[in-house]
Amino acid sequence: MNSVQGPSFQPLYLQIKDLLTQSLDAGEWKPGEAIPSEMVLAARYKVSQGTVRKAIDALAAENIVVRRQGKGTFVATHTEEKSSMFRFLRIRRVDGVDEYPHRRLVDIRRGKASAEVARLLLLRPGEAVVILRRVLEYSDEPVVLDEITLPAALFKGLTKARYDAYRGSTYSFFETQFGVRMVRADERIKAIAADPASAEILKVAVGTPLLAVERVAYTYGDRPVEWRRGLCTTKNHYYLNQLG
Amino acid sequence: MNSVQGPSFQPLYLQIKDLLTQSLDAGEWKPGEAIPSEMVLAARYKVSQGTVRKAIDALAAENIVVRRQGKGTFVATHTEEKSSMFRFLRIRRVDGVDEYPHRRLVDIRRGKASAEVARLLLLRPGEAVVILRRVLEYSDEPVVLDEITLPAALFKGLTKARYDAYRGSTYSFFETQFGVRMVRADERIKAIAADPASAEILKVAVGTPLLAVERVAYTYGDRPVEWRRGLCTTKNHYYLNQLG
DNA sequence: CAGTGGTCTAGACCACATC
DNA sequence: ATGTGGTCTAGACCACTGG
């Protein structure tokens, strides 16, 4: 059922994958919901089940959907079992115990995108942004001091009260409250000395070496929608990475 | 052609994948060589080409093997194009230019595995190890100070002269000279202050914040075969990570 | 039981590399 | 022209879930 292929050839299953991504992006199926079965999608797109399967396999490999045998294929969520909660949280306790930190919002303020943020988030310089400052606490110990910058246009009505009231991870909050789902991120890590303000919040001496982690997070279609910078104490914690 | 399945069921294509991994491990096909074609493997294992294909797909997804349309499937190498050279090297210049560092071996010494190294590399405490100390230089600037610990049993005849004489990456050296191919690694990152000895080598002030990167690298079958600890200046460089 | 995803097969054809 | 991997199809059967 493959149509005539234009000059810029793309396999059928990748075309189907793009169509599915568009539907996901448009919110046709919400996070946590099931997408139609392979047979139904095959009928809709007039291709064989095997081709739909390959398209879904590709989405599953990117953690955009989750397959569950016997039940169906579901739009991935940041509100899930432990396994996926640590996908975007690489900080671990040195003793190896998996602990999900308590997040304490220091303040929210509105501002204009700096040249750097505008460049990274593909905004016009000076465009409105929302900036959250947070502290992540592990067993009541402050470990990470965060600053999260978001395009205001996508996060209308983001207030401290709403953030504090939400139970669950920050990306789960973004996803359920603003329909912005993070699918991928790039991080750059440096080591820096604690400045007085950060040192006080993290309860370390001024000049203590900290990890400085900068992140750009992307939603469907590789659109950047979050910039964050975190300072992390590594007295009792480390940053975990798997190279494969 | 599936045989009767015992109590611990495993799909045929995963069984084939394991057989291929064993052959790879045994050196039946060396890095850089082509493995037999899908048709030939299908005949050998008495399964369909599609099943062999799924097995190879799984190996390709883990970067153990590389497919090249029209040519064949090849055992992956650390001696390849730029794209794969940075798979285990996450240090980048802040200006974004991709530069492969010059490695300078400080010394090689032999010793016994500490309790920690023995635990991580699954050795008996006190078992013989080889320890390399290196400096990685980017544009003549020392950036990383490394200490690499290897089980002596796997790296007989490793001398400074041989290391210095080799052209190519360290993992390429291990692979071609000792038949030990790294396929995966875990890294743990902390921020620490430069001690006097390290500071001098890296040409930074004592107390300068550095990244401390600890790595355990694994070969086929998840067998740990390298432990390393690196100290990295982040004045002009950073550690890059992709979360997906 | 019916419906879902998961595996396996067999065959056709396409794209690419090499001779 | 031949051989390789890449795509697509159609159908059968298995494994899991839930009514």
Side-chain angles (χ1 to χ4, degrees), chain B residues 17-240:
Chain B
K17 182 193 168 200
D18 284 345
L19 291 175
L20 292 172
T21 301
Q22 285 169 32
S23 291
L24 254 0
D25 193 15
E28 181 170 340
W29 314 298
K30 301 249 179 299
E33 290 179 10
I35 69 174
S37 76
E38 296 178 351
M39 290 300 290
V40 171
L41 290 172
R44 177 201 290 200
Y45 298 122
K46 303 252 178 39
V47 298
S48 77
Q49 186 195 4
T51 298
V52 170
R53 170 168 289 271
K54 267 205 93 169
I56 294 178
D57 280 346
L59 291 173
E62 295 172 31
N63 298 297
I64 292 187
V65 101
V66 176
R67 322 192 71 145
R68 279 181 243 216
Q69 181 171 141
K71 303 180 71 172
T73 301
F74 298 79
V75 184
T77 306
H78 287 289
T79 325
E80 280 179 37
E81 65 284 356
K82 291 280 176 190
S83 60
S84 74
M85 290 187 88
F86 289 97
R87 192 150 72 90
F88 288 92
L89 176 66
R90 310 307 271 247
I91 308 301
R92 296 289 190 287
R93 282 167 51 164
V94 286
D95 60 20
V97 177
D98 275 358
E99 178 188 351
Y100 204 79
H102 172 72
R103 50 197 176 69
R104 181 164 61 78
L105 188 59
V106 178
D107 59 34
I108 290 188
R109 67 177 201 278
R110 271 132 229 284
K112 296 177 185 299
S114 67
E116 186 192 10
V117 167
R119 182 175 56 81
L120 293 170
L121 296 187
L122 304 181
L123 302 175
R124 293 183 297 281
E127 200 165 336
V129 294
V130 187
I131 302 171
L132 292 72
R133 283 206 309 156
R134 295 190 315 171
V135 174
L136 299 185
E137 295 170 340
Y138 289 75
S139 307
D140 291 325
E141 178 194 353
V143 174
V144 178
L145 173 59
D146 253 348
E147 188 172 273
I148 303 179
T149 302
L150 306 164
L154 292 177
F155 293 86
K156 290 185 199 300
L158 206 182
T159 62
K160 184 171 193 312
R162 267 180 91 183
Y163 185 89
D164 287 339
Y166 188 81
R167 309 254 120 236
S169 73
T170 296
Y171 280 178
S172 163
F173 175 64
F174 292 167
E175 166 181 298
T176 57
Q177 306 295 306
F178 303 94
V180 178
R181 196 181 121 64
M182 308 298 181
V183 298
R184 179 176 92 67
D186 288 338
E187 292 196 329
R188 299 176 172 204
I189 307 174
K190 291 192 150 216
I192 64 162
D195 63 286
S198 306
E200 190 186 340
I201 292 174
L202 294 174
K203 293 182 184 157
V204 298
V206 173
T208 301
L210 302 175
L211 292 183
V213 182
E214 298 186 355
R215 172 190 295 185
V216 179
Y218 301 82
T219 189
Y220 297 116
D222 269 327
R223 279 173 292 137
V225 286
E226 180 201 53
W227 186 82
R228 80 163 68 176
R229 181 161 195 272
L231 299 180
C232 175
T233 326
T234 56
K235 191 173 48 172
N236 299 316
H237 298 76
Y238 57 80
Y239 182 102
L240 176 65

Side-chain angles (χ1 to χ4, degrees), chain A residues 17-115:
Chain A
K17 182 193 169 200
D18 284 345
L19 291 175
L20 291 172
T21 302
Q22 285 169 29
S23 290
L24 252 1
D25 193 15
E28 181 170 342
W29 314 297
K30 302 250 180 300
E33 290 179 10
I35 70 174
S37 76
E38 296 178 351
M39 289 301 289
V40 172
L41 290 172
R44 178 203 289 200
Y45 298 122
K46 304 251 179 40
V47 298
S48 77
Q49 187 196 4
T51 299
V52 170
R53 171 169 288 271
K54 266 204 93 169
I56 294 177
D57 281 345
L59 291 173
E62 296 173 28
N63 298 297
I64 292 187
V65 298
V66 177
R67 322 192 72 143
R68 279 180 240 209
Q69 183 172 141
K71 302 179 72 172
T73 300
F74 298 78
V75 184
T77 307
H78 287 289
T79 325
E80 279 178 38
E81 66 285 355
K82 292 281 175 189
S83 60
S84 73
M85 290 187 89
F86 289 97
R87 192 150 70 90
F88 289 93
L89 176 66
R90 311 305 273 246
I91 308 301
R92 296 288 192 285
R93 284 167 49 166
V94 287
D95 60 20
V97 177
D98 276 357
E99 178 187 352
Y100 204 80
H102 172 72
R103 51 196 176 72
R104 182 164 58 78
L105 187 59
V106 178
D107 58 35
I108 290 186
R109 65 176 202 277
R110 271 132 228 285
K112 295 177 185 301
S114 67

